[in-house]
Amino acid sequence: MTGEYPRTSTLSGSDVRSGHTLRGRSAELGLVLEALRTVQRGRPAVIVLSGEPGIGKTALLRTVVEQAGRLGFRTAHSAAHEDDRVTPLASLGPALRFGVAPLIGSADFMDLAGLHEQPLWLVERLATLVEQQDGPVLLAIDDAQWCDPLTGFALRVLPKRLLVTPIAWVLASRPVPGGGPAEKVAEAAAPDLPVTTVELTPLSRDAVLAVAADRLGAAPDADVLRRLTGARGNPFLTVQLLEGLFEPGAASGGGSRVPSGLLEGVRRRLAATSAPCRELMRIAAVVGPSFLLSDAAALLGSASLSVLTEPLIEAIDAGLLADDGTTVHFRHELLRDAVYEDLPPSSRHAMHRAFADRLLAGGRGYAAAAPHVLATATRGDAAAADVLRRAAYEVLAKMAVTSVTFIREAFALTNGDDPAWGEIGAETVAILGSAHQYAEATRFADLLLAAPLPADLHARVRLLLLPRLWATGQVDELADRSREPSGVPELDARLAGYRALAAGLSSAPDGASNTHRGSDPAASGTATQPGGDPIAGAAVAQRGAVAAAAGPIAETATTADDPIAAVLTTTAAAQLAGRAEDRRRAHALFAAARVAAQGVTGYGAPETGQLAAREMIALARTDDIDRALRGLGDETLFADSWQAPQLALIRAQLALGAGRVNKAASAAATAAELMAELHNRTYEPQLRELLAILALLRGDNAEARTHVSPETTLARALLADADGDPRGAAEIVAAVRTHGALWPEDWLVAAACTAHHRGDTETVHASAALLADLAERNPDVRGLAGAHLLVQALSTADFAVARKTLQDSPRALLSARADEEFGRFVLDTDDRPAAIAALDTARDRYAELGATASATRVQRILQAAGVRRRRWAAVPQRPGTGWDALTDMERRVAVLIADGHTNRSAAEELVLSPSTISTHLRAVFGKLDVHSRVQLANLVVRKDKTL
């Protein structure tokens, strides 16, 4: 893998110091050194050096690296290049491997190659390796505007992953319209660690004079002073003027990237060299910012590299090129631009094409040739389009963003009357989807579908969109796009399969869709009760809806010889079983669909990870929650790191089902962090609803209000109930009946108990009817049976069976509620001791689970009955800061880290992911107001380590 970086890892660009003192940058350097002192104290920081080309970013960055070394930092640095986009980690890799004692060893670095397709897992591995460094580290990247996409992603995520590791992340970059990699790194880091942005402006007159004196060995004369004003304080141009490569006042072409006067200066310098040197410079300008001498020799038609020795020496002596021993490169990108712009267009095109042919003939890859093909191709160039198509597939697995660029360029080169136009368009939609650019894939597909495509191609383009529409529950669009047949049996069978899936996601028997519910990662296994009165008729109406939805499945089954259609048929049947609340059948069918989908690819094939996610949800709903949670950690089922936000959200939902409120909150925080890191907001409505519910369980109604929205129907109903709205309980039942819920039994019990204590018998009966149907359909699911028995007991007072049934289930909150309701019922009877014991048990269980609101409710009942307990003082909401603000898991993480564990080893100890440890650790640092592991260790020493 190190062979992919055939260039120096030292900082590039023009060294405006050349052994002299850095001039005019004292203030800027001071800002950076202050940030480095922050890192020395144990807190990481991001530093961005920003400015126009030639403004002196490289010189300042080199000084920063030198100063950091003197301060005891371990330094690593590299420079990005324009051609980095075709190689994963091309920009960051050299920095990680820099020096005689690199941050990452060769074996570990080679292992990263297997993770290029999974950027989140790669970042996790990188974080584990980097956090093992002793002492402060400075990692610097020059010309960060050219970072490859994987490096850009890693730099956005790593600073937050390594929030307790003393690292200075220093990026030098020119401004990029819309924000380049450096700006995005700073934006991502800003909420959690200090960011210092240093804008480099033109040098002052005194600084320019000092630079001139350094270069000339004496104060400049009047003529030089006059000419120096033409450099306008740009350090690079100042140096080039003093070296004769910049002539202020000379004009360059309109719209030129080359500063006025530099083009003329380079022309003059080249005119003084030999013809072979000039030819070498022209070839070099075309080949790239850095190049192999053998390539230049081949393009010049020379069989011997020795022929280029003298021309190369001339170019180096002229201050235009530099040789690092492996590759030759321009001393500054502006010098290359000046030579390139002076080439006649026909010469440029011929050399680009010749070099592209050499790369392809030498087997160096279509991706390497693609930039040179793009430089010469015009619309209608089928050969160029073919190279770009091949380049797109060559880099797709590891560089999806670059693949998108290549395939879109291929499409742009193809005429609308070319037979390949539609096929390349379909490939573009597919690659956009592979790059997780789903909105753009949809937009592009719609452009294609508006054209007169053959019926089979029209269907294939639609099938490229359908798996994502199903996974995200976009019911109406899923049904609409799968409606039109193609005339090809296997494609029509797949389209019918998606129609069946759309019917199964529909949330009401009349076919009305509910995008929010369907987009829930748990949607395919949720209970869906139809609307309409009376409520007691809901179960009967639901059976009618399920029967109606069976039609599309039967349609699919008749043509399910196609393996993709067969998977879709089984999946639709699983959805149907889940909607009918036949939980064990739903689990069995999702498992069968997932197994059948292994290795099945093609237009419309559903993602195996999505099937596995629904399998785990369905398993959890049979009361096997812990096995489902373990299944979510199975890397053989969930190998795609892009699914991580969804899986974290599902973990939170399942933890809530088990009643583990604190663990659910931690998993929800991880889900939110992952959504931000991957820029994936698909499941944000479901996360908001979950966060609102968790806040209500913790007694923080104000926090819950910040999360509710028109989409969070259940949370709004629960909030109304928590606020004392007399209609709240009925609204909860209506929300479950109309929109469904992953754990309908929890909310139906909550509604029934509230309604019972308010004398609302109608809502109690409605809840009981729905629970009776659920229990009847799932006689061996003890959580459902116990929930039904508990609501029945509100009327019959027979709590014993309900309590025993729920105690034998994994539904801890329901079990605590059974104890609470029993205690409330018998509190005023002759068995007061039994009542107090049951209420004490319920209150302690609620508190242990993190359900502060419920614990407080029971405590008030006991206090009203004259019961006092000293330990009740711990029930109120945790403080926001200090040791007592930490959750149990946060305390365990704090103790392990203080004892010297890395994030990885702490994760293994606690059977969590490193990213979850990072989330806990960030919370610990914030609550304890510490900024380093040393500070944390010192604080923990003063605490009881048995906590």
Side-chain angles (χ1 to χ4, degrees):
M1 186 170 174
T2 53
E4 296 178 348
Y5 309 113
R7 62 169 189 259
T8 178
S9 60
T10 58
L11 299 174
S12 67
S14 173
D15 183 356
V16 300
R17 302 174 317 153
S18 294
H20 300 286
T21 303
L22 184 69
R23 299 294 188 182
R25 298 302 186 199
S26 297
E28 292 89 342
L29 183 59
L31 290 173
V32 176
L33 292 178
E34 180 58 36
L36 293 185
R37 283 189 280 272
T38 296
V39 177
Q40 280 186 306
R41 293 191 290 269
R43 190 177 187 190
V46 169
I47 303 163
V48 176
L49 310 180
S50 179
E52 65 182 16
I55 202 66
K57 299 183 296 296
T58 295
L60 177 58
L61 184 57
R62 182 176 278 114
T63 299
V64 168
V65 171
E66 291 174 356
Q67 292 288 339
R70 295 190 186 103
L71 292 172
F73 280 74
R74 186 173 183 180
T75 62
H77 50 83
S78 65
H81 290 72
E82 285 182 277
D83 53 4
D84 281 0
R85 65 177 180 172
V86 298
T87 307
L89 283 188
S91 308
L92 180 60
L96 297 173
R97 296 287 301 135
F98 176 79
V100 294
L103 292 179
I104 296 179
S106 297
D108 288 328
F109 188 70
M110 295 295 290
D111 287 344
L112 295 177
L115 297 174
H116 286 170
E117 297 178 46
Q118 301 299 335
L120 199 60
W121 305 156
L122 181 141
V123 168
E124 295 282 8
R125 180 60 180 154
L126 269 178
T128 299
L129 294 170
V130 173
E131 74 170 350
Q132 297 171 2
Q133 306 302 317
D134 294 326
V137 172
L138 180 140
L139 193 149
I141 296 188
D142 197 13
D143 287 325
Q145 72 275 1
W146 287 323
C147 282
D148 65 274
L150 187 56
T151 289
F153 176 82
L155 291 175
R156 286 198 308 273
V157 177
L158 277 171
K160 297 180 71 172
R161 283 285 191 273
L162 297 167
L163 199 59
V164 295
T165 303
I167 299 181
W169 307 87
V170 187
L171 305 175
S173 174
R174 66 175 61 172
V176 178
E183 290 84 358
K184 291 176 181 177
V185 170
E187 181 183 358
D192 298 293
L193 66 160
V195 174
T196 300
T197 299
V198 180
E199 298 282 352
L200 274 68
T201 57
L203 295 177
S204 67
R205 183 176 185 276
D206 289 344
V208 169
L209 293 177
V211 170
D214 289 339
R215 293 282 169 167
L216 300 174
D221 59 28
D223 180 61
V224 172
L225 285 175
R226 177 183 56 78
R227 296 171 64 237
L228 281 173
T229 61
R232 300 183 182 277
N234 183 293
F236 172 76
L237 295 181
T238 297
V239 172
Q240 302 314 307
L241 183 149
L242 295 169
E243 295 183 353
L245 271 175
F246 176 63
E247 186 61 42
S252 58
S256 171
R257 293 197 302 171
V258 182
S260 174
L262 183 60
L263 184 59
E264 183 59 36
V266 171
R267 283 174 182 163
R268 190 172 58 252
R269 181 63 57 86
L270 282 177
T273 64
S274 66
C277 179
R278 292 194 295 273
E279 284 300 309
L280 172 62
M281 292 298 301
R282 291 164 185 152
I283 288 292
V286 168
V287 169
S290 63
F291 59 94
L292 299 174
L293 205 56
S294 58
D295 285 332
L299 293 176
L300 289 168
S302 174
S304 173
L305 295 181
S306 62
V307 174
L308 294 183
T309 301
E310 290 303 320
L312 177 60
I313 292 173
E314 272 192 88
I316 293 172
D317 289 343
L320 299 172
L321 296 181
D323 186 347
D324 63 21
T326 303
T327 60
V328 180
H329 58 89
F330 280 86
R331 285 184 57 219
H332 196 281
E333 74 226 44
L334 289 175
L335 297 176
R336 180 198 174 201
D337 289 343
V339 177
Y340 188 84
E341 285 204 14
D342 212 25
L343 287 173
S346 58
S347 295
R348 291 184 208 165
H349 289 187
M351 285 187 277
H352 275 299
R353 182 68 72 175
F355 190 48
D357 291 342
R358 172 173 170 77
L359 292 171
L360 293 173
R364 286 152 72 176
Y366 292 95
H372 298 281
V373 170
L374 279 171
T376 64
T378 57
R379 188 171 180 83
D381 188 338
D386 184 63
V387 170
L388 292 170
R389 289 174 77 182
R390 293 172 183 270
Y393 284 105
E394 185 176 85
V395 301
L396 176 59
K398 297 180 179 180
M399 301 287 282
V401 174
T402 301
S403 178
V404 167
T405 300
F406 288 156
I407 195 64
R408 296 195 73 155
E409 293 286 0
F411 182 79
L413 291 175
T414 307
N415 287 323
D417 58 358
D418 189 317
W421 183 86
E423 293 296 339
I424 298 177
E427 291 172 358
T428 304
V429 175
I431 289 175
L432 284 165
S434 297
H436 303 275
Q437 297 181 20
Y438 300 112
E440 185 59 20
T442 301
R443 190 195 70 81
F444 195 89
D446 285 336
L447 289 175
L448 282 179
L449 295 172
L453 298 178
D456 66 320
L457 181 57
H458 196 281
R460 284 188 282 130
V461 171
R462 287 182 286 131
L463 281 165
L464 288 170
L465 302 177
L466 299 185
R468 182 67 179 176
L469 293 175
W470 169 68
T472 55
Q474 298 179 63
V475 181
D476 290 341
E477 189 172 354
L478 180 64
D480 183 62
R481 289 189 184 276
S482 60
R483 185 172 295 117
E484 186 179 342
S486 69
V488 179
E490 67 176 25
L491 298 182
D492 286 343
R494 298 174 194 180
L495 292 169
Y498 278 107
R499 288 196 296 275
L501 289 172
L505 285 175
S506 179
S507 64
D510 60 1
S513 67
N514 178 14
T515 300
H516 162 51
R517 179 193 159 273
S519 64
D520 192 313
S524 57
T526 58
T528 304
Q529 303 293 351
D533 292 320
I535 295 174
V540 175
Q542 185 190 49
R543 292 187 182 99
V546 169
I553 296 180
E555 175 191 3
T556 309
T558 61
T559 55
D561 292 337
D562 175 70
I564 293 176
V567 170
L568 296 174
T569 300
T570 306
T571 305
Q575 279 189 175
L576 195 62
R579 183 176 178 188
E581 281 294 346
D582 187 346
R583 297 188 177 185
R584 294 209 179 275
R585 177 169 170 76
H587 170 246
L589 287 170
F590 275 124
R594 189 258 306 164
V595 171
Q598 297 288 342
V600 175
T601 59
Y603 290 96
E607 299 173 22
T608 305
Q610 292 295 333
L611 295 171
R614 285 154 177 76
E615 177 188 352
M616 294 304 115
I617 292 167
L619 176 63
R621 281 164 45 82
T622 66
D623 272 359
D624 207 343
I625 298 175
D626 285 334
R627 188 155 69 99
L629 285 167
R630 289 193 298 272
L632 290 173
D634 187 341
E635 294 182 0
T636 63
L637 296 179
F638 303 103
D640 186 357
S641 65
W642 293 96
Q643 200 178 356
Q646 179 191 20
L647 298 182
L649 179 55
I650 294 173
R651 286 190 186 92
Q653 292 172 320
L654 300 196
L656 177 60
R660 302 160 192 162
V661 178
N662 289 331
K663 290 187 176 181
S666 294
T670 299
E673 178 184 340
L674 291 169
M675 287 180 188
E677 289 176 351
L678 295 178
H679 302 291
N680 179 359
R681 302 295 181 185
T682 302
Y683 302 106
E684 196 169 76
Q686 293 71 51
L687 177 62
R688 285 203 307 269
E689 179 150 77
L690 178 61
L691 291 172
I693 291 172
L694 292 171
L696 290 171
L697 289 170
R698 290 171 147 181
D700 192 345
N701 292 13
E703 172 69 15
R705 286 188 186 88
T706 66
H707 298 297
V708 296
S709 70
E711 296 174 301
T712 56
T713 308
L714 176 60
R716 283 191 292 113
L718 290 168
L719 178 59
D721 186 53
D723 284 340
D725 187 335
R727 299 167 298 175
E731 288 178 3
I732 292 172
V733 174
V736 171
R737 184 184 66 237
T738 306
H739 296 279
L742 180 60
W743 306 109
E745 52 271 37
D746 287 71
W747 318 125
L748 292 173
V749 165
C753 292
T754 298
H756 171 69
H757 296 300
R758 291 176 179 166
D760 179 2
T761 56
E762 182 180 357
T763 298
V764 174
H765 292 158
S767 179
L770 294 176
L771 284 167
D773 187 61
L774 289 171
E776 179 184 350
R777 292 164 185 261
N778 301 275
D780 57 346
V781 178
R782 298 187 70 80
L784 285 175
H788 175 228
L789 290 169
L790 173 55
V791 172
Q792 276 190 323
L794 296 175
S795 302
T796 65
D798 185 7
F799 288 95
V801 179
R803 293 177 71 194
K804 179 64 171 67
T805 302
L806 288 171
Q807 285 170 2
D808 294 339
S809 80
R811 311 303 304 283
L813 283 177
L814 285 175
S815 180
R817 190 66 187 242
D819 289 335
E820 176 189 347
E821 294 303 325
F822 168 72
R824 295 179 73 163
F825 174 74
V826 300
L827 185 60
D828 295 325
T829 68
D830 293 337
D831 201 358
R832 180 179 170 86
I836 293 173
L839 289 170
D840 258 341
T841 298
R843 181 252 171 227
D844 290 348
R845 188 65 173 133
Y846 283 140
E848 177 188 352
L849 293 168
T852 307
S854 298
T856 301
R857 181 180 66 236
V858 176
Q859 180 172 313
R860 288 171 179 164
I861 294 170
L862 286 166
Q863 288 171 333
V867 179
R868 297 291 184 271
R869 298 283 189 274
R870 179 174 298 177
R871 58 193 172 89
W872 282 350
V875 170
Q877 190 78 14
R878 285 191 178 93
T881 60
W883 188 261
D884 291 337
L886 303 184
T887 65
D888 291 341
M889 183 57 71
E890 287 167 354
R891 293 183 185 185
R892 293 175 69 186
V893 170
V895 170
L896 287 173
I897 297 300
D899 283 345
H901 278 267
T902 64
N903 287 16
R904 174 70 63 176
S905 62
E908 293 172 352
E909 181 78 15
L910 298 175
V911 196
L912 298 171
S913 71
S915 63
T916 300
I917 295 295
S918 295
T919 298
H920 286 311
L921 204 50
R922 280 193 289 278
V924 169
F925 272 48
K927 292 177 181 179
L928 299 183
D929 193 26
V930 297
H931 304 293
S932 71
R933 292 173 185 249
V934 173
Q935 290 178 332
L936 176 62
N938 291 337
L939 189 149
V940 170
V941 164
R942 299 193 294 270
K943 296 293 180 181
D944 182 0
K945 291 197 177 181
T946 62
L947 287 174

